[in-house]
Coordinates of all heavy atoms in Angstrom, one line a residue:
R140 N 151.4 156.0 86.7 CA 150.7 155.4 85.6 C 151.1 154.0 85.3 O 150.5 153.3 84.5 CB 151.1 156.2 84.3 CG 150.6 157.7 84.4 CD 151.3 158.4 83.3 NE 150.9 159.8 83.2 CZ 151.6 160.8 82.7 NH1 152.9 160.5 82.4 NH2 151.1 162.0 82.6
Y141 N 152.1 153.5 86.0 CA 152.6 152.1 85.8 C 152.7 151.5 87.2 O 152.3 152.2 88.2 CB 154.0 152.1 85.1 CG 153.9 152.5 83.7 CD1 154.1 153.9 83.4 CD2 153.7 151.6 82.7 CE1 154.1 154.3 82.0 CE2 153.7 152.0 81.3 CZ 153.9 153.4 81.0 OH 153.8 153.8 79.7
L142 N 153.1 150.3 87.3 CA 153.2 149.6 88.6 C 154.6 149.6 89.1 O 155.3 148.5 89.0 CB 152.5 148.2 88.5 CG 151.0 148.4 88.4 CD1 150.4 147.1 87.7 CD2 150.3 148.6 89.7
F143 N 155.1 150.7 89.7 CA 156.4 150.7 90.3 C 156.2 150.4 91.8 O 155.3 150.9 92.4 CB 157.0 152.1 90.2 CG 157.5 152.5 88.8 CD1 156.7 153.0 87.8 CD2 158.8 152.2 88.5 CE1 157.1 153.3 86.5 CE2 159.3 152.5 87.2 CZ 158.5 153.1 86.2
R144 N 157.1 149.6 92.3 CA 157.1 149.3 93.7 C 158.5 149.1 94.3 O 159.4 148.8 93.5 CB 156.4 147.9 94.0 CG 154.9 147.9 93.7 CD 154.1 148.8 94.7 NE 152.7 148.7 94.5 CZ 152.0 149.5 93.6 NH1 152.6 150.4 92.8 NH2 150.7 149.4 93.5
D145 N 158.6 149.3 95.6 CA 159.9 149.0 96.2 C 160.1 147.5 96.3 O 159.2 146.7 96.4 CB 160.0 149.6 97.6 CG 159.9 151.1 97.6 OD1 160.3 151.7 96.6 OD2 159.4 151.7 98.6
G146 N 161.4 147.1 96.3 CA 161.7 145.7 96.4 C 161.6 145.2 97.8 O 161.5 146.0 98.7
K147 N 161.8 143.9 97.9 CA 161.7 143.3 99.3 C 163.2 142.9 99.7 O 164.1 143.0 98.9 CB 160.9 142.0 99.2 CG 159.4 142.2 99.2 CD 158.8 140.8 99.4 CE 157.3 140.8 99.4 NZ 156.9 139.4 99.1
G148 N 163.3 142.5 100.9 CA 164.6 141.9 101.4 C 165.6 143.1 101.6 O 165.3 144.3 101.5
P149 N 166.8 142.7 102.1 CA 167.8 143.7 102.4 C 168.1 144.6 101.2 O 168.2 144.1 100.1 CB 169.1 142.9 102.7 CG 168.6 141.5 102.9 CD 167.3 141.3 102.2
D150 N 168.0 145.9 101.4 CA 168.2 146.9 100.3 C 167.2 146.8 99.2 O 167.5 147.3 98.1 CB 169.7 146.8 99.8 CG 170.7 147.1 100.8 OD1 170.4 147.9 101.7 OD2 171.7 146.4 100.8
G151 N 166.1 146.1 99.4 CA 165.1 146.0 98.4 C 165.6 145.3 97.1 O 165.1 145.6 96.0
L152 N 166.5 144.4 97.3 CA 167.0 143.7 96.1 C 166.3 142.5 95.6 O 166.7 141.9 94.7 CB 168.5 143.3 96.4 CG 169.4 144.5 96.5 CD1 170.9 144.1 96.9 CD2 169.5 145.4 95.2
E153 N 165.2 142.2 96.3 CA 164.3 141.1 95.8 C 163.0 141.7 95.2 O 162.5 142.7 95.7 CB 164.0 140.2 97.0 CG 165.1 139.3 97.4 CD 164.8 138.7 98.8 OE1 163.6 138.4 99.1 OE2 165.8 138.5 99.5
P154 N 162.5 141.0 94.2 CA 161.3 141.6 93.6 C 160.1 141.7 94.6 O 160.0 141.0 95.5 CB 160.9 140.6 92.5 CG 161.8 139.4 92.7 CD 162.9 139.8 93.6
P155 N 159.2 142.7 94.3 CA 158.1 143.0 95.2 C 157.2 141.8 95.4 O 156.5 141.7 96.5 CB 157.3 144.1 94.5 CG 158.4 144.8 93.7 CD 159.3 143.7 93.2
N156 N 157.0 140.9 94.5 CA 156.3 139.6 94.7 C 156.8 138.5 93.8 O 157.8 138.7 93.1 CB 154.8 139.8 94.6 CG 154.3 140.1 93.2 OD1 155.0 139.7 92.2 ND2 153.2 140.8 93.0
N157 N 156.2 137.3 93.9 CA 156.8 136.2 93.2 C 156.2 135.9 91.8 O 156.3 134.9 91.3 CB 156.5 134.9 94.1 CG 155.1 134.5 94.2 OD1 154.2 135.3 93.7 ND2 154.8 133.3 94.7
W158 N 155.5 137.0 91.2 CA 154.9 136.7 89.9 C 155.9 136.5 88.9 O 157.0 137.1 88.8 CB 154.0 137.9 89.6 CG 152.9 138.2 90.5 CD1 152.6 137.5 91.7 CD2 151.9 139.2 90.4 NE1 151.5 138.0 92.3 CE2 151.0 139.0 91.5 CE3 151.6 140.2 89.5 CZ2 149.9 139.9 91.7 CZ3 150.5 141.0 89.7 CH2 149.7 140.9 90.8
Q159 N 155.5 135.6 87.9 CA 156.3 135.2 86.8 C 155.8 135.9 85.5 O 154.6 136.0 85.4 CB 156.3 133.7 86.6 CG 156.9 132.9 87.7 CD 158.5 133.1 87.8 OE1 159.2 132.7 86.9 NE2 158.9 133.7 88.9
S160 N 156.7 136.3 84.7 CA 156.3 136.8 83.3 C 155.8 135.6 82.5 O 156.3 134.5 82.6 CB 157.6 137.4 82.7 OG 157.4 137.3 81.3
V161 N 154.8 135.9 81.7 CA 154.2 134.9 80.8 C 155.3 134.4 79.8 O 155.3 133.3 79.4 CB 153.1 135.5 79.9 CG1 152.6 134.6 78.8 CG2 151.9 136.0 80.8
F162 N 156.3 135.3 79.6 CA 157.4 134.9 78.7 C 158.6 134.3 79.4 O 159.6 134.0 78.8 CB 157.9 136.1 77.9 CG 156.9 136.7 76.9 CD1 157.0 138.0 76.5 CD2 155.9 135.9 76.4 CE1 156.1 138.5 75.6 CE2 155.0 136.4 75.4 CZ 155.1 137.7 75.1
G163 N 158.5 134.0 80.7 CA 159.6 133.4 81.4 C 160.3 134.4 82.3 O 160.4 135.6 82.0
G164 N 160.8 133.9 83.5 CA 161.5 134.7 84.4 C 160.6 135.6 85.3 O 159.3 135.5 85.2
S165 N 161.2 136.4 86.1 CA 160.4 137.2 87.0 C 159.6 138.3 86.2 O 160.0 138.7 85.2 CB 161.3 138.0 88.0 OG 160.6 138.9 88.7
A166 N 158.4 138.6 86.8 CA 157.6 139.7 86.2 C 158.0 141.1 86.6 O 157.3 142.0 86.3 CB 156.1 139.4 86.5
W167 N 159.1 141.2 87.4 CA 159.6 142.5 87.8 C 161.0 142.7 87.4 O 161.8 141.8 87.3 CB 159.6 142.5 89.4 CG 158.2 142.4 90.0 CD1 157.6 141.3 90.3 CD2 157.4 143.5 90.3 NE1 156.3 141.6 90.9 CE2 156.2 142.9 90.9 CE3 157.5 144.9 90.2 CZ2 155.1 143.7 91.3 CZ3 156.4 145.7 90.6 CH2 155.3 145.1 91.2
D168 N 161.3 143.9 87.0 CA 162.7 144.3 86.7 C 163.0 145.5 87.5 O 162.2 146.4 87.9 CB 162.8 144.7 85.2 CG 163.3 143.6 84.4 OD1 163.0 142.4 84.7 OD2 164.0 143.8 83.3
R169 N 164.3 145.7 87.9 CA 164.8 146.8 88.6 C 165.0 148.0 87.7 O 165.6 147.9 86.6 CB 166.1 146.5 89.3 CG 166.0 145.5 90.4 CD 167.3 145.3 91.1 NE 167.7 146.5 91.8 CZ 169.0 146.8 92.1 NH1 169.9 146.0 91.7 NH2 169.3 148.0 92.7
V170 N 164.5 149.2 88.1 CA 164.7 150.4 87.3 C 166.2 150.6 87.1 O 166.7 151.0 86.0 CB 164.1 151.6 88.1 CG1 164.5 152.9 87.3 CG2 162.6 151.5 88.3
A171 N 167.0 150.3 88.2 CA 168.5 150.5 88.1 C 169.1 149.7 87.0 O 170.2 150.1 86.5 CB 169.1 150.1 89.5
E172 N 168.5 148.6 86.6 CA 169.1 147.8 85.6 C 168.5 148.1 84.2 O 168.9 147.5 83.2 CB 168.9 146.3 85.9 CG 169.9 145.9 86.9 CD 169.6 144.6 87.6 OE1 168.8 143.8 87.1 OE2 170.2 144.4 88.7
H173 N 167.5 149.0 84.1 CA 167.0 149.4 82.8 C 168.0 150.3 82.1 O 168.5 151.2 82.8 CB 165.6 150.1 83.0 CG 164.9 150.3 81.7 ND1 165.2 151.3 80.8 CD2 163.9 149.6 81.1 CE1 164.5 151.2 79.7 NE2 163.6 150.2 79.9
P174 N 168.2 150.2 80.8 CA 169.2 151.0 80.1 C 168.9 152.5 80.3 O 169.8 153.3 80.3 CB 169.1 150.6 78.7 CG 168.3 149.3 78.6 CD 167.6 149.1 79.9
D175 N 167.6 152.9 80.5 CA 167.3 154.3 80.6 C 167.1 154.7 82.1 O 166.6 155.8 82.4 CB 166.1 154.7 79.8 CG 166.2 154.3 78.3 OD1 167.3 154.5 77.8 OD2 165.2 153.8 77.8
G176 N 167.3 153.8 83.0 CA 167.0 154.0 84.4 C 168.3 154.6 85.2 O 169.4 154.4 84.7
D177 N 168.0 155.2 86.3 CA 169.1 155.7 87.2 C 169.7 154.5 87.9 O 169.0 153.8 88.6 CB 168.5 156.7 88.1 CG 169.4 157.2 89.2 OD1 170.5 156.7 89.3 OD2 169.1 158.2 89.9
P178 N 171.0 154.3 87.9 CA 171.6 153.1 88.5 C 171.4 153.1 90.0 O 171.5 152.0 90.7 CB 173.1 153.2 88.2 CG 173.3 154.4 87.3 CD 172.0 155.1 87.1
D179 N 171.0 154.2 90.6 CA 170.8 154.2 92.1 C 169.3 154.2 92.4 O 168.9 154.3 93.6 CB 171.3 155.5 92.7 CG 172.8 155.6 92.5 OD1 173.4 154.5 92.7 OD2 173.4 156.7 92.3
D180 N 168.4 154.0 91.4 CA 167.0 154.0 91.7 C 166.6 152.7 92.5 O 167.0 151.6 92.1 CB 166.2 154.0 90.4 CG 164.8 154.4 90.5 OD1 164.0 153.7 91.2 OD2 164.4 155.5 90.1
P181 N 165.8 152.9 93.6 CA 165.5 151.8 94.4 C 164.3 150.9 94.0 O 164.1 149.9 94.5 CB 165.2 152.4 95.8 CG 164.6 153.8 95.4 CD 165.3 154.2 94.1
Q182 N 163.6 151.3 92.9 CA 162.3 150.7 92.6 C 162.4 149.6 91.6 O 163.4 149.4 90.8 CB 161.3 151.7 92.2 CG 160.8 152.6 93.4 CD 159.5 153.1 93.3 OE1 159.2 153.9 92.3 NE2 158.6 152.8 94.2
W183 N 161.3 148.8 91.5 CA 161.1 147.8 90.5 C 159.8 148.2 89.7 O 159.0 148.9 90.2 CB 160.9 146.4 91.1 CG 162.0 145.9 91.9 CD1 162.5 146.4 93.1 CD2 162.8 144.7 91.7 NE1 163.5 145.6 93.6 CE2 163.7 144.6 92.7 CE3 162.7 143.8 90.6 CZ2 164.6 143.5 92.8 CZ3 163.6 142.7 90.7 CH2 164.6 142.6 91.7
F184 N 159.7 147.6 88.5 CA 158.4 147.8 87.7 C 157.9 146.5 87.3 O 158.7 145.5 87.0 CB 158.6 148.8 86.6 CG 159.5 148.4 85.5 CD1 159.0 147.6 84.4 CD2 160.9 148.6 85.6 CE1 159.9 147.2 83.4 CE2 161.8 148.2 84.6 CZ 161.3 147.5 83.5
L185 N 156.6 146.4 87.2 CA 155.9 145.1 86.8 C 155.8 145.0 85.3 O 155.4 146.0 84.6 CB 154.5 145.0 87.4 CG 153.7 143.8 87.1 CD1 154.3 142.6 87.8 CD2 152.2 143.9 87.4
H186 N 156.1 143.8 84.8 CA 155.8 143.5 83.3 C 155.4 142.1 83.3 O 156.1 141.2 83.4 CB 157.1 143.8 82.5 CG 158.3 143.0 82.9 ND1 158.5 141.7 82.5 CD2 159.3 143.3 83.8 CE1 159.6 141.2 83.0 NE2 160.1 142.2 83.9
L187 N 154.1 141.9 83.0 CA 153.6 140.5 82.9 C 154.1 139.8 81.7 O 154.1 138.6 81.6 CB 152.1 140.4 82.9 CG 151.4 140.8 84.3 CD1 149.9 140.8 84.2 CD2 151.9 139.9 85.4
F188 N 154.7 140.6 80.7 CA 155.2 140.0 79.5 C 156.7 140.3 79.5 O 157.4 140.2 80.5 CB 154.4 140.5 78.3 CG 153.0 139.9 78.3 CD1 152.0 140.7 79.0 CD2 152.7 138.7 77.8 CE1 150.7 140.1 79.1 CE2 151.4 138.2 77.9 CZ 150.4 138.9 78.5
D189 N 157.2 140.8 78.4 CA 158.7 141.1 78.3 C 159.0 142.3 79.2 O 158.2 143.1 79.5 CB 159.0 141.4 76.8 CG 160.5 141.5 76.6 OD1 161.2 140.6 77.1 OD2 161.0 142.4 76.0
S190 N 160.3 142.4 79.6 CA 160.7 143.5 80.4 C 160.6 144.8 79.7 O 160.6 145.9 80.3 CB 162.1 143.3 81.0 OG 162.9 142.7 80.1
S191 N 160.5 144.8 78.4 CA 160.3 146.0 77.6 C 158.8 146.3 77.5 O 158.4 147.2 76.7 CB 160.9 145.9 76.2 OG 160.3 144.9 75.5
Q192 N 157.9 145.6 78.2 CA 156.4 145.9 78.2 C 155.9 146.1 79.6 O 155.2 145.3 80.1 CB 155.7 144.6 77.5 CG 156.1 144.4 76.1 CD 155.6 143.0 75.6 OE1 156.1 142.0 76.1 NE2 154.7 143.0 74.6
P193 N 156.2 147.3 80.1 CA 155.7 147.6 81.5 C 154.1 147.7 81.6 O 153.5 148.3 80.7 CB 156.3 149.0 81.8 CG 156.6 149.6 80.5 CD 156.9 148.4 79.5
D194 N 153.6 147.1 82.6 CA 152.1 147.1 82.8 C 151.6 148.5 83.3 O 152.2 149.0 84.2 CB 151.7 146.1 83.8 CG 151.7 144.7 83.2 OD1 152.7 144.3 82.6 OD2 150.7 144.0 83.3
F195 N 150.5 149.0 82.7 CA 149.9 150.2 83.2 C 149.3 149.9 84.6 O 148.9 148.8 84.9 CB 148.8 150.7 82.3 CG 149.3 151.3 81.0 CD1 149.1 150.7 79.8 CD2 149.9 152.5 81.0 CE1 149.6 151.2 78.6 CE2 150.4 153.1 79.8 CZ 150.2 152.5 78.6
D196 N 149.1 151.0 85.4 CA 148.2 150.9 86.6 C 146.9 151.4 86.2 O 146.6 152.6 86.2 CB 148.9 151.7 87.7 CG 148.0 151.5 89.0 OD1 147.0 150.8 88.9 OD2 148.5 151.9 90.1
W197 N 145.9 150.5 86.0 CA 144.6 150.9 85.6 C 143.8 151.5 86.7 O 142.7 152.0 86.5 CB 143.9 149.7 84.9 CG 144.1 149.7 83.4 CD1 145.2 149.2 82.8 CD2 143.3 150.4 82.4 NE1 145.1 149.4 81.4 CE2 144.0 150.1 81.2 CE3 142.2 151.1 82.5 CZ2 143.5 150.6 80.0 CZ3 141.6 151.6 81.3 CH2 142.3 151.3 80.0
R198 N 144.3 151.5 87.9 CA 143.6 152.1 89.0 C 143.8 153.7 89.0 O 143.1 154.4 89.7 CB 144.1 151.6 90.4 CG 143.7 150.1 90.5 CD 144.1 149.5 91.8 NE 143.9 148.1 91.7 CZ 142.8 147.4 91.8 NH1 141.7 148.0 92.2 NH2 142.8 146.1 91.6
N199 N 144.7 154.1 88.1 CA 144.9 155.5 87.9 C 144.0 156.0 86.8 O 144.2 155.5 85.6 CB 146.4 155.7 87.5 CG 146.8 157.2 87.3 OD1 145.9 158.0 87.1 ND2 148.1 157.4 87.3
P200 N 143.1 156.9 87.0 CA 142.1 157.3 86.0 C 142.8 157.9 84.7 O 142.2 157.9 83.7 CB 141.3 158.4 86.7 CG 141.7 158.5 88.1 CD 142.9 157.6 88.3
E201 N 144.0 158.4 84.9 CA 144.7 159.0 83.7 C 144.8 157.9 82.6 O 144.8 158.2 81.4 CB 146.1 159.4 84.0 CG 146.2 160.8 84.4 CD 147.7 161.2 84.5 OE1 148.3 161.4 83.4 OE2 148.3 161.2 85.6
V202 N 145.0 156.6 83.0 CA 145.2 155.6 82.0 C 143.9 155.3 81.2 O 144.0 155.3 80.0 CB 145.7 154.3 82.7 CG1 145.8 153.1 81.7 CG2 147.0 154.5 83.4
G203 N 142.8 155.3 81.9 CA 141.5 155.1 81.2 C 141.2 156.2 80.3 O 140.7 156.0 79.2
D204 N 141.5 157.4 80.7 CA 141.2 158.6 79.9 C 142.1 158.5 78.6 O 141.6 158.9 77.5 CB 141.5 159.9 80.6 CG 140.5 160.1 81.8 OD1 139.5 159.4 81.8 OD2 140.8 161.0 82.7
M205 N 143.4 158.2 78.8 CA 144.2 158.1 77.6 C 143.7 157.1 76.6 O 143.6 157.4 75.4 CB 145.6 157.7 78.1 CG 146.7 157.8 77.0 SD 147.0 156.3 76.1 CE 148.3 155.5 77.0
F206 N 143.2 155.9 77.1 CA 142.8 154.9 76.2 C 141.4 155.3 75.5 O 141.2 154.9 74.4 CB 142.7 153.5 76.8 CG 144.1 152.9 76.7 CD1 145.0 152.9 77.7 CD2 144.5 152.3 75.5 CE1 146.3 152.3 77.6 CE2 145.8 151.8 75.3 CZ 146.6 151.8 76.4
E207 N 140.6 156.0 76.2 CA 139.4 156.5 75.6 C 139.8 157.4 74.4 O 139.2 157.3 73.3 CB 138.5 157.3 76.6 CG 137.2 157.7 75.9 CD 136.2 158.3 76.8 OE1 136.1 158.0 77.9 OE2 135.4 159.2 76.2
G208 N 140.8 158.2 74.5 CA 141.3 159.0 73.4 C 141.8 158.2 72.3 O 141.5 158.5 71.1
V209 N 142.5 157.1 72.6 CA 143.0 156.2 71.6 C 141.8 155.5 70.8 O 141.8 155.5 69.6 CB 143.9 155.1 72.2 CG1 144.3 154.1 71.1 CG2 145.1 155.8 72.8
L210 N 140.8 155.1 71.5 CA 139.7 154.5 70.9 C 139.0 155.5 69.9 O 138.8 155.1 68.7 CB 138.6 154.1 71.9 CG 138.7 152.9 72.8 CD1 137.6 152.8 73.7 CD2 138.8 151.6 71.9
R211 N 138.8 156.7 70.4 CA 138.2 157.7 69.5 C 139.0 158.0 68.3 O 138.5 158.2 67.2 CB 137.9 159.0 70.3 CG 136.8 158.8 71.3 CD 136.4 160.1 72.0 NE 135.5 159.8 73.1 CZ 134.2 159.6 73.0 NH1 133.7 159.7 71.8 NH2 133.4 159.4 74.0
F212 N 140.3 158.1 68.5 CA 141.2 158.4 67.4 C 141.0 157.4 66.2 O 140.9 157.8 65.1 CB 142.7 158.3 67.9 CG 143.7 158.6 66.8 CD1 144.1 159.9 66.5 CD2 144.3 157.5 66.1 CE1 145.1 160.1 65.6 CE2 145.3 157.8 65.2 CZ 145.7 159.1 64.9
W213 N 140.9 156.1 66.6 CA 140.8 155.1 65.5 C 139.4 155.0 65.0 O 139.1 154.7 63.8 CB 141.4 153.7 66.0 CG 142.9 153.8 66.1 CD1 143.6 154.0 67.2 CD2 143.8 153.9 65.0 NE1 144.9 154.2 66.9 CE2 145.1 154.1 65.6 CE3 143.7 153.8 63.6 CZ2 146.2 154.2 64.8 CZ3 144.8 154.0 62.8 CH2 146.1 154.2 63.4
L214 N 138.4 155.2 65.9 CA 137.0 155.2 65.5 C 136.8 156.3 64.5 O 136.1 156.2 63.5 CB 136.1 155.3 66.7 CG 136.0 154.0 67.6 CD1 135.3 154.4 68.9 CD2 135.3 152.9 66.9
D215 N 137.4 157.5 64.8 CA 137.2 158.6 63.9 C 137.9 158.3 62.5 O 137.4 158.9 61.5 CB 137.9 159.9 64.5 CG 137.1 160.4 65.6 OD1 135.9 160.1 65.8 OD2 137.8 161.2 66.4
R216 N 138.8 157.4 62.5 CA 139.5 157.1 61.2 C 138.7 156.0 60.5 O 139.1 155.6 59.4 CB 140.9 156.6 61.4 CG 141.8 157.7 61.9 CD 143.3 157.3 61.8 NE 143.9 158.0 60.7 CZ 144.5 159.2 60.8 NH1 144.5 159.9 61.9 NH2 145.0 159.8 59.7
G217 N 137.6 155.5 61.1 CA 136.7 154.6 60.4 C 136.9 153.2 60.6 O 136.3 152.3 59.9
V218 N 137.7 152.8 61.6 CA 137.8 151.3 61.9 C 136.5 150.8 62.5 O 135.7 151.5 63.1 CB 139.0 151.0 62.8 CG1 140.3 151.5 62.3 CG2 138.7 151.4 64.2
D219 N 136.2 149.5 62.2 CA 134.9 148.9 62.6 C 135.0 148.3 64.0 O 133.9 147.8 64.5 CB 134.5 147.9 61.5 CG 134.3 148.6 60.2 OD1 133.3 149.3 60.0 OD2 135.2 148.4 59.3
G220 N 136.1 148.2 64.5 CA 136.2 147.6 65.9 C 137.6 147.3 66.3 O 138.6 147.7 65.7
F221 N 137.7 146.7 67.5 CA 139.0 146.5 68.2 C 139.0 145.0 68.7 O 138.1 144.5 69.3 CB 139.1 147.4 69.4 CG 139.0 148.9 69.0 CD1 137.8 149.5 69.0 CD2 140.2 149.6 68.7 CE1 137.8 150.9 68.7 CE2 140.1 150.9 68.3 CZ 138.9 151.6 68.3
R222 N 140.2 144.5 68.5 CA 140.5 143.2 69.2 C 141.4 143.7 70.4 O 142.4 144.4 70.2 CB 141.3 142.3 68.3 CG 141.8 141.0 68.9 CD 143.2 141.2 69.4 NE 143.8 139.9 69.8 CZ 145.0 139.9 70.5 NH1 145.6 141.0 70.8 NH2 145.5 138.7 70.9
V223 N 141.0 143.4 71.6 CA 141.6 143.9 72.8 C 142.6 142.9 73.4 O 142.1 141.8 73.9 CB 140.6 144.4 73.8 CG1 141.3 145.0 75.0 CG2 139.7 145.5 73.1
D224 N 143.8 143.2 73.4 CA 144.9 142.4 73.9 C 144.8 142.2 75.4 O 144.6 143.2 76.1 CB 146.2 143.0 73.4 CG 147.4 142.1 73.6 OD1 147.4 141.0 73.0 OD2 148.3 142.5 74.4
V225 N 145.0 141.0 75.9 CA 145.1 140.7 77.3 C 144.0 141.4 78.1 O 144.2 142.1 79.1 CB 146.5 141.2 77.9 CG1 146.7 140.5 79.2 CG2 147.7 140.9 77.0
A226 N 142.8 141.2 77.6 CA 141.6 141.9 78.1 C 141.3 141.5 79.6 O 140.6 142.2 80.3 CB 140.4 141.7 77.3
H227 N 141.9 140.4 80.0 CA 141.6 139.9 81.4 C 142.7 140.3 82.3 O 142.8 139.9 83.5 CB 141.6 138.3 81.4 CG 142.8 137.7 80.8 ND1 143.4 138.2 79.7 CD2 143.6 136.7 81.2 CE1 144.5 137.4 79.4 NE2 144.6 136.5 80.4
G228 N 143.6 141.2 81.8 CA 144.8 141.5 82.6 C 144.9 142.9 83.2 O 145.8 143.2 84.0
L229 N 144.1 143.8 82.8 CA 144.3 145.2 83.1 C 144.4 145.5 84.5 O 145.3 146.3 85.0 CB 143.2 146.1 82.5 CG 143.3 146.5 81.0 CD1 143.8 145.4 80.1 CD2 142.0 147.1 80.5
F230 N 143.6 145.0 85.4 CA 143.7 145.2 86.8 C 144.3 144.0 87.5 O 144.0 142.8 87.1 CB 142.3 145.4 87.4 CG 141.7 146.7 87.2 CD1 141.1 147.1 86.0 CD2 141.8 147.7 88.2 CE1 140.6 148.4 85.8 CE2 141.3 149.0 88.0 CZ 140.7 149.3 86.8

Side-chain angles (χ1 to χ4, degrees):
R140 295 162 175 156
Y141 292 90
L142 289 157
F143 284 88
R144 292 292 183 275
D145 294 335
K147 282 189 181 160
D150 300 324
L152 289 178
E153 288 165 29
N156 69 27
N157 69 349
W158 296 3
Q159 295 290 297
S160 152
V161 174
F162 292 156
S165 171
W167 295 91
D168 265 29
R169 292 184 64 205
V170 175
E172 281 164 18
H173 190 282
D175 305 319
D177 174 350
D179 295 323
D180 198 292
Q182 288 205 303
W183 298 67
F184 63 92
L185 179 73
H186 57 87
L187 290 178
F188 295 88
D189 189 48
S190 37
S191 64
Q192 293 168 297
D194 283 52
F195 285 112
D196 185 353
W197 270 86
R198 294 180 194 277
N199 181 342
E201 267 192 80
V202 175
D204 292 347
M205 190 267 267
F206 274 100
E207 182 174 328
V209 173
L210 283 179
R211 291 184 187 281
F212 179 85
W213 291 102
L214 289 166
D215 288 340
R216 295 195 103 88
V218 306
D219 298 286
F221 300 91
R222 175 268 189 190
V223 178
D224 191 61
V225 198
H227 57 315
L229 273 44
F230 281 80

